[in-house]
Each structure stands twice: as C-alpha cells, then as structure tokens.
Amino acid sequence: MSASAVAAPYDGSDTFLGHPKGVYVCFFTEMWERFSFYGMKALLLLYLLQHHRFGDDSGYDVIGAYGGLVYCLPVIGGLLADRWLGMRKAVVFGGLLLVLGHLGMAIEGTQARVVDGVVQRDESALLAFYFSLSLIIMGVGFLKPNISTIVGKLYAPEDPRRDSGFALFYAGINLGSLLASIICGYLGQTLGWAYGFGVAGVGMLLGLAQFLWGQKYLRGHAEPPDPAKLSERVAGMPREWLIYGTAMLGLLPVAGLMWAVANGAFKLGGALTPALALMLLMMLAVLVWFFWFIATQCDRVQRHQMIALISMIAMCLVFFTLYEQTYGSWVTFTDRLLTKDIVPSLVQPTPALNWTGDWLANLRLFARTTPWSIVVLVLAPGAFVVAARLSDRDPASRAPRLLFGSVVVITLVLLVRDSLVLPQTAGSLTYLGAMFLVLLAPLFSGLWGWLDRRGMDPSKPVKSALGLILAGLSFLPLLWAAEHAGASGQLASVWWLVLAYFILELGEMCLSPVGLSAVTQLSVPRVVSLMMGTWFLATAFSETLAAEFGKLASIEIPDGAALAFADAGAKYAHLFTVMLYIGLGCGLAALVLAPLLRRLMHGVR
C-alpha cells in the first residue's frame, strides 16, 4: 500500500496554538534552512566585491545566475518528489547537500589584490566557491518546493486557517532570515567571511535534525507515493539511488555554469549567459507542459483554477524582481550612500580581540560584541520540542503556551539588543526586511481572519495586486535618499532604508503567503509539487531580472579612488525610479484583472 494512502487526514486533534504541530516542525526546519541560505546571501555580493574584488557588473551576474538557478531547480525537485521520492526523502537529501555547500563557502582563500593594475585572485578558493554554490543550488532544488507542500497537506481543503497557517510558516522563513542577517552578516564583515558562511552551514545541519525529529507530527503526508517504485531497478540500480547519483553528477555542470558566468565565458549574445539560457529552456518546457496539461488533463473548473494560479505566479515574478533588489542594489546603495547605525548613540565599539592577553577580559569583550540572538537558533526550536511533548501528555495544559510565549519574548529582547547595540553593516542591515515580516505576520494573520469573519476578506488576486503596488512604493524613500546624497555629497540617513523595508514588507505580507497557499489550493492535486516548483521558477527569473536591473546602478570605482557622490546618487535614483514605475503599473493592472481571476477560482478562498 502506498504511503499516501495511509496518510492521516487532519481531524482537528494534535494542535498547538491553534495549528497542527506539523506546521511548527516545518516552521523551524525552514527557519534553519533560511538562516543558512539568507546568511550566505546577505554576504554574497559584498564578499565578491570586497574580498575577490569583482566589478559591480560581474558581481550582479553571479548573484543573478545563482539566484535564478537556486529557484529554478525546484521545478525538477518537485516533480521527483511527486512521482517517486516523496517529500521526506527529497527534503533530507536536499538538506544534506545544503550542509556541505554552506560549509564549503567557508573556504575563503586569500584576499584579492591589484598588482600593476591587474586583479589577482585566489583561483583555488574561487573553484571551491563555485562548487559550493552548485551544492546549495541542487540542495534547494530538492528541499524548497516540498517543505512548503507539506504545510498545505496538514490542513483540510476548506480549513479557514490555511492562509494564517501559511503566514505562520512564512514567519519561520523570515525569522531565519532575520537571525541570518544579524548573525552571519555581522560575523562575516567583522570577524571574517569564513565565520559568517560557516555558521550558516551549522544552522542547516540543525534544521535537518529538527525535520527528522518531527516526522510523527507530519502524519505520513511526506512519505513516497509508491515506495515499491523506488526499489525498481533502472539502468542497473534502484531508481532511488539513480536519482541521487544523477543529482550528484549534475553538480559539476552547475558549478561550471557559475564559473562561466563569473568569468564572462560562453556568452550566447548580449546578456544571455549559459545559466540564463538554461532557465529560459526550463521556462519554455514548463509552459509547454502547462498548456498541454490544462488542455488535455483538466476539466473546466480545474482549467480555470490553473489559469488563475499561473496568473498569480506571474504577479509573483514581478514582485520578486522588485524585492530582490534588497540583496543587490539596496546592499551596495547602503554600503556606499547611507549611514548604518539605527541609533548611533547606543552602538558599542568593537575593538579587536587579542587572545594572547587577558583571557577573561577578552571573553567579556567577545560576549559584548557578539550577537546574543545566536542563542535563539537553539532556544526557540528546543522550546517547541519541550512544549510539543508537554502538549502530547496533557493537551489542556497551559505550560506549553507559557513556555513558548516566554521564548518569543526573550527572542524579541535579544534581537532588539543586537539591532541597536552592534555596529551595523550593509550586509547585516538586510535584517530589516525579515524583522518587519516577523512583526507583521501575526498582525496580518489576525487581520485576514477578522476580515473573513465579517465577509470582507479580499480575494487572493486583490491581495497580490496590493502587494505589487506597495512594492513599487517602497522605492520612493530610497529615491529621495539617493537624490539627497547626490546633491549634498554626504551619507543619507539609514532611516530612509528602514521606511523602504517597512513598505516593501507590507506588500510581501499581502502577496507571498497567500500566493503559496493558492498553489496548494488551486493546483490539480497530482501536480501540486510541480506547481510549487513553477512558483519558484518564476522567482528564478525574478532573480535574474533583478540583477539585470541592478546593473543600471553599477559603479566601477578605480583602485584608490573616492566615490563620486553626485554620479552615484544619479545612477541609484534612476534605478529606483524605474522600479517604482514597474511596481505601480503592474499592480494597478493586476487590480483591474482581480475580479476576473476571482471568478476563475470557482469559490476557492
């Protein structure tokens, strides 16, 4: 009998704080996975520009290709999980690859230097870098679409808590991102790049352990659809091992693609790199499959729902083209033209440690200048483990809620301390987006429920359109900051960045959680993981498009020269204006189409 046939339907039992306990297993697994992923991402562009001395254009090419591929592979990972592996095996295999990839990123090598006008780089370290990226790309391909799909399966189809459950899960994603930026971003730019990348790998290892521990709370929904097919021999070996072996062999061409992009090799014309060509082919293949599927495999209602879904996926593509500027042009803009500390009077200096001196004094100094929120990585999931066991023994007990609530308060205190006391960098300030999302998630979760009870809950297309409009408006504060810095020749206030992140994350809370929920609701059941992969394929193209747009503000600063504020301010102002118009234009168009899309959804809320 297949595992899917014995998966326990959700019956209202086995809950914690109003949601299935399995959601919290996915919450913390995804928290650690996103900690490792965003910890590396917060540092990636700065690492290329400052350690390996890449130019802006080359740096954008690398992060665009990496970001595109890392979200492109979930299309394949979702298909393999749907047909053979099941979500548990796919998540575990992807997690192992991610652990190896993030630890490999800690091999930083020697810093590049300019000799007679030529940049000399540590090529061995760069080869390790490209291979580590390939491990991360492949790992995300197996893990990312399937962990989200598990969340959807934990709720009954018409469960009104579905949207709020995905909002909660999305908060786990952004708690990981928040911790990553503060911890990895800070350690990487103060103690050394290897520390930032290395702690990201440790985080992924803990996340994998969390997922394996919580299997019983997933109620069998993550198991292979037909375990016997995994044992069938294909090409002389069991199908399961053939899948793993093929993925491992695929690491080399992916690493080669990253090398080619970084070195400008094998360009197919203009900005068409091998990585971009691969993503275009995958998009074409998915679109051909999609139109074949809705034409031949769907009834009228399913066809309409799938069309509504693909329309919302297109909105996702536009939104994340805007959003991904936060790890590209927003990072370089912050590094070059903004102040860094939120409240400068509270910031403690970070003198260099000297371990040959007084050890006790150095330990005190280390404790004072280290992110205290690092303890949350173990404290929060550990509290859930204890709370879940207490709840299993006595579902009516208040102790699990008090324990979990206490840890939430401690987490907030530690995060506030780190954000105000530690000197911030362009990399660590990426925590602002995740911070607002973590704070906004419970508010939006309650808002959608409150509106639903009064019959006023906006449809998913309307929420997505509002998300696009807000994303466009988020560039307005940065446009003003760029104009001020360019005109005055002085750094603009970091509070412009704070305001921009706040507006952007209002938009993300409107669009992204309900979009993930729509994939599980509107997809034909047998292709739900594949459609989740298609969601991430749209994100893949948004990464590449974001990098291409980011090049509008590329600045090549000669060695030893100072930044020309007027020119830099003008370039960034132009980029931010373009992004503003794209967000507003696409958002208003989506708002006009929202009533039609709602009808195509045939009552799905």
Side-chain angles (χ1 to χ4, degrees):
M1 181 180 292
S2 71
S4 58
V6 298
Y10 179 68
D11 58 7
S13 64
D14 198 24
T15 63
F16 181 67
L17 298 178
H19 289 277
K21 290 177 182 174
V23 172
Y24 296 93
V25 173
C26 296
F27 175 102
F28 286 113
T29 302
E30 189 71 351
M31 181 197 79
W32 265 317
E33 188 272 330
R34 292 291 91 181
F35 171 81
S36 65
F37 178 77
Y38 283 111
M40 186 273 284
K41 196 172 183 180
L43 293 170
L44 183 56
L45 183 57
L46 295 170
Y47 173 65
L48 291 171
L49 299 183
Q50 297 175 8
H51 184 73
H52 290 298
R53 299 181 72 96
F54 278 50
D56 277 17
D57 280 355
S58 297
Y60 281 121
D61 280 338
V62 171
I63 66 168
Y66 163 72
L69 289 172
V70 86
Y71 285 110
C72 192
L73 269 290
V75 176
I76 298 174
L79 177 63
L80 292 173
D82 271 346
R83 296 198 60 182
W84 296 301
L85 280 180
M87 289 165 281
R88 176 178 61 83
K89 289 178 179 288
V91 168
V92 171
F93 179 62
L96 289 172
L97 294 180
L98 283 165
V99 170
L100 295 175
H102 286 296
L103 292 178
M105 290 289 294
I107 305 172
E108 64 179 69
T110 57
Q111 184 163 346
R113 53 201 176 97
V114 179
V115 178
D116 296 329
V118 178
V119 179
Q120 295 185 349
R121 302 185 177 98
D122 188 334
E123 295 299 333
S124 297
L126 280 171
L127 290 177
F129 168 74
Y130 301 136
F131 188 72
S132 297
L133 288 183
S134 73
L135 284 164
I136 296 170
I137 289 166
M138 193 70 70
V140 172
F142 277 89
L143 185 147
K144 188 64 179 168
N146 297 300
I147 198 77
S148 302
T149 303
I150 293 171
V151 175
K153 288 181 177 292
L154 292 170
Y155 293 94
E158 296 303 321
D159 193 326
R161 301 171 305 162
R162 178 182 288 265
D163 275 4
S164 62
F166 269 97
L168 177 65
F169 173 71
Y170 210 66
I173 294 176
N174 291 287
L175 178 59
S177 175
L178 170 56
L179 293 168
S181 298
I182 290 180
I183 296 171
C184 300
Y186 175 78
L187 293 178
Q189 288 193 270
T190 53
L191 294 184
W193 304 106
Y195 289 92
F197 291 133
V199 75
V202 174
M204 186 61 244
L205 184 61
L206 294 173
L208 187 58
Q210 164 80 20
F211 181 76
L212 293 172
W213 169 84
Q215 289 303 298
K216 66 178 180 178
Y217 297 118
L218 302 183
R219 308 175 67 83
H221 289 297
E223 295 308 305
D226 189 349
K229 288 187 177 180
L230 288 177
S231 302
E232 292 178 355
R233 300 190 73 81
V234 180
M237 68 178 67
R239 177 180 275 113
E240 181 176 359
W241 289 102
L242 178 64
I243 292 172
Y244 298 148
T246 303
M248 297 301 289
L249 289 175
L251 293 172
L252 289 178
V254 173
L257 280 172
M258 295 309 304
W259 173 89
V261 168
N263 290 276
F266 312 126
K267 280 199 173 181
L268 305 178
L272 187 60
T273 65
L276 179 57
L278 174 64
M279 286 185 286
L280 286 169
L281 287 174
M282 291 192 68
M283 181 188 73
L284 180 61
V286 168
L287 288 177
V288 169
W289 168 84
F290 177 81
F291 287 112
W292 167 82
F293 185 80
I294 64 172
T296 64
Q297 305 296 307
C298 298
D299 58 31
R300 178 176 173 274
V301 172
Q302 289 174 330
R303 185 178 303 113
H304 287 175
Q305 290 176 335
M306 290 285 279
I307 291 172
L309 175 58
I310 205 71
S311 300
M312 282 191 280
I313 289 176
M315 296 182 203
C316 151
L317 188 155
V318 177
F319 177 86
F320 283 104
T321 298
L322 304 176
Y323 179 87
E324 287 304 324
Q325 295 300 321
T326 59
Y327 289 97
S329 63
W330 286 28
V331 170
T332 59
F333 177 67
T334 303
D335 189 53
R336 292 163 176 166
L337 295 178
L338 293 182
T339 60
K340 309 299 185 291
D341 297 319
I342 304 297
V343 185
S345 61
L346 298 179
V347 174
Q348 297 183 2
T350 55
L353 298 174
N354 178 17
W355 293 109
T356 60
D358 186 340
W359 274 75
L360 184 58
N362 275 286
L363 283 174
R364 292 196 191 102
L365 177 60
F366 182 74
R368 194 174 79 239
T369 59
T370 298
W372 290 5
S373 54
I374 199 168
V375 303
V376 175
L377 291 172
V378 177
L379 181 63
F384 169 68
V385 170
V386 174
R389 289 181 174 175
L390 291 174
S391 178
D392 289 342
R393 294 174 185 173
D394 182 7
S397 173
R398 296 181 59 192
R401 293 173 176 80
L402 292 174
L403 172 63
F404 207 64
S406 299
V407 170
V408 170
V409 173
I410 293 172
T411 298
L412 291 175
V413 170
L414 295 180
L415 288 171
V416 169
R417 179 265 175 191
D418 287 348
S419 64
L420 296 179
V421 173
L422 294 179
Q424 299 301 313
T425 66
S428 66
L429 280 169
T430 57
Y431 83 84
L432 288 167
M435 179 192 72
F436 282 124
L437 277 175
V438 170
L439 294 176
L440 291 170
L443 298 178
F444 271 80
S445 180
L447 174 63
W448 301 143
W450 184 82
L451 290 173
D452 180 66
R453 289 190 296 272
R454 287 156 178 79
M456 299 167 57
D457 190 17
S459 67
K460 285 180 169 62
V462 169
K463 291 176 183 176
S464 297
L466 292 175
L468 286 173
I469 293 171
L470 288 166
L473 290 174
S474 71
F475 286 86
L476 197 54
L478 297 182
L479 170 60
W480 293 334
E483 291 176 343
H484 168 77
S488 67
Q490 297 179 344
L491 298 177
S493 171
V494 71
W495 283 96
W496 291 115
L497 183 69
V498 175
L499 178 58
Y501 266 113
F502 176 70
I503 299 172
L504 179 65
E505 303 314 343
L506 287 174
E508 187 170 5
M509 283 309 303
C510 288
L511 179 141
S512 202
V514 298
L516 288 172
S517 178
V519 173
T520 62
Q521 288 180 282
L522 295 172
S523 294
V524 176
R526 67 179 183 274
V527 296
V528 63
S529 283
L530 183 58
M531 291 308 297
M532 189 66 74
T534 304
W535 167 276
F536 293 115
L537 179 61
T539 307
F541 281 94
S542 71
E543 294 266 359
T544 305
L545 288 173
E548 290 301 316
F549 278 116
K551 290 181 183 179
L552 294 175
S554 285
I555 300 170
E556 304 299 333
I557 306 173
D559 189 46
L563 176 68
F565 268 62
D567 293 341
K571 280 197 168 187
Y572 281 109
H574 173 60
L575 168 63
F576 298 151
T577 301
V578 171
M579 297 290 98
L580 170 67
Y581 288 153
I582 289 175
L584 291 179
C586 292
L588 292 173
L591 199 58
V592 170
L593 291 174
L596 172 61
L597 294 178
R598 184 176 183 178
R599 288 195 296 272
L600 292 177
M601 291 167 64
H602 288 277
V604 172
R605 301 173 64 188

